[in-house]
Amino acid sequence: MVNYEHQLDRTFAALVDPTRRAILARLEREDGASVSELAKPFAIKLPAVMKHLDVLGEAGLITRSKTGRTVTVRLTPEPMRQAMSWLARYERFWSASLDRLAAYAEAKEAEAKKEGR
Amino acid sequence: MVNYEHQLDRTFAALVDPTRRAILARLEREDGASVSELAKPFAIKLPAVMKHLDVLGEAGLITRSKTGRTVTVRLTPEPMRQAMSWLARYERFWSASLDRLAAYAEAKEAEAKKEGR
């Protein structure tokens, strides 16, 4: 439980900064990017980008692998899935409509099976 | 866009602290609680709880209303819904299966309508 809470602390802290969120959003679109590619769109200097990558790495949101001189950064989505699960409890209305949709799909599936389609 | 990013900054910053998360979780279960009720389960003093409530209030996650001497605290889930939407993009596999479910439900609904049921 302590580890779970501690991971949530680190995940949410990593997500507070818009530059870090932009880096994560880019890594969601591209499967791996080099540090210099990641740094390009930002008005901040490379060392500042590296610091953001350190925060993301320590929170377990990215992995970095080195091939020759190139460091490739990849997304690790699991902590964000956990953070999303934490937030999901507040989505009462949204979950209610999702539950209805799932129930509807299941009922229709059972019906279709019964009719042998 | 700036306001959207700024709200995400404040929401994630408010969620970093486990005491604040515990307060939000309690407000999800109970529709409104007084400040002293909220403070009870914590080992920290009332002024510390009040500070946490200030952070939650400034982030727009709670509202406080005063009746006589009692301040009632209530949840405002909208910013968390927004934070969850931001996180949802990383849920590729989960969204893929939700998309399939929604497409299935829609197809079945269209089918049912065509058959005049």
Side-chain angles (χ1 to χ4, degrees):
Chain A
M1 196 63 184
V2 169
N3 282 343
Y4 168 78
E5 290 293 339
H6 183 58
Q7 179 58 53
L8 278 180
D9 291 3
R10 292 195 305 168
T11 305
F12 286 130
L15 294 175
V16 167
D17 187 274
T19 303
R20 290 198 290 269
R21 290 201 302 274
I23 291 171
L24 292 170
R26 170 132 181 223
L27 290 173
E28 189 272 326
R29 293 191 303 271
E30 294 167 35
D31 184 30
S34 71
V35 172
S36 55
E37 280 166 357
L38 281 176
K40 239 180 242 169
F42 301 112
I44 53 174
K45 297 229 168 92
L46 197 63
V49 172
M50 304 280 273
K51 264 195 186 171
H52 283 309
L53 292 176
D54 284 344
V55 175
L56 291 172
E58 278 156 28
L61 296 175
I62 58 162
T63 56
R64 282 169 285 188
S65 52
K66 204 170 180 178
T67 315
R69 284 182 166 190
T70 311
V71 176
T72 304
V73 183
R74 279 196 173 76
L75 195 72
T76 314
E78 189 47 39
M80 288 195 278
R81 181 188 302 255
Q82 188 197 44
M84 198 173 134
S85 298
W86 190 87
L87 284 164
R89 76 176 82 183
Y90 302 96
E91 287 292 305
R92 275 190 206 170
F93 300 107
W94 181 87
S95 341
S97 57
L98 179 61
D99 284 351
R100 280 198 301 274
L101 179 68
Y104 182 82
E106 270 168 29
K108 283 292 167 187
E109 197 174 5
E111 204 177 282
K113 267 189 191 157
K114 228 166 113 184
E115 291 172 19
R117 284 185 290 193
Chain B
M1 196 62 183
V2 169
N3 282 342
Y4 168 78
E5 289 293 340
H6 183 58
Q7 179 57 54
L8 278 179
D9 291 1
R10 292 195 306 170
T11 306
F12 286 130
L15 294 175
V16 167
D17 187 275
T19 302
R20 290 198 290 270
R21 290 200 302 273
I23 291 171
L24 292 171
R26 170 132 181 224
L27 291 173
E28 190 271 328
R29 294 190 302 269
E30 293 167 39
D31 185 32
S34 71
V35 173
S36 55
E37 280 167 356
L38 281 177
K40 237 178 244 171
F42 301 112
I44 54 175
K45 295 227 168 94
L46 196 62
V49 172
M50 304 281 271
K51 268 196 183 170
H52 283 309
L53 292 176
D54 284 343
V55 176
L56 291 171
E58 280 157 26
L61 296 174
I62 59 161
T63 55
R64 283 169 286 189
S65 52
K66 203 169 179 177
T67 313
R69 286 184 165 187
T70 310
V71 176
T72 305
V73 183
R74 280 196 174 79
L75 196 70
T76 314
E78 189 48 38
M80 287 195 279
R81 182 188 301 254
Q82 188 197 44
M84 198 174 135
S85 298
W86 190 88
L87 283 164
R89 75 176 81 184
Y90 301 96
E91 288 290 306
R92 276 192 206 169
F93 299 106
W94 181 85
S95 343
S97 56
L98 178 60
D99 284 352
R100 280 198 300 276
L101 179 67
Y104 182 83
E106 271 168 30
K108 283 293 168 189
E109 199 173 6
E111 202 177 282
K113 267 188 191 157
K114 229 166 107 183
E115 292 171 19
R117 284 184 290 196

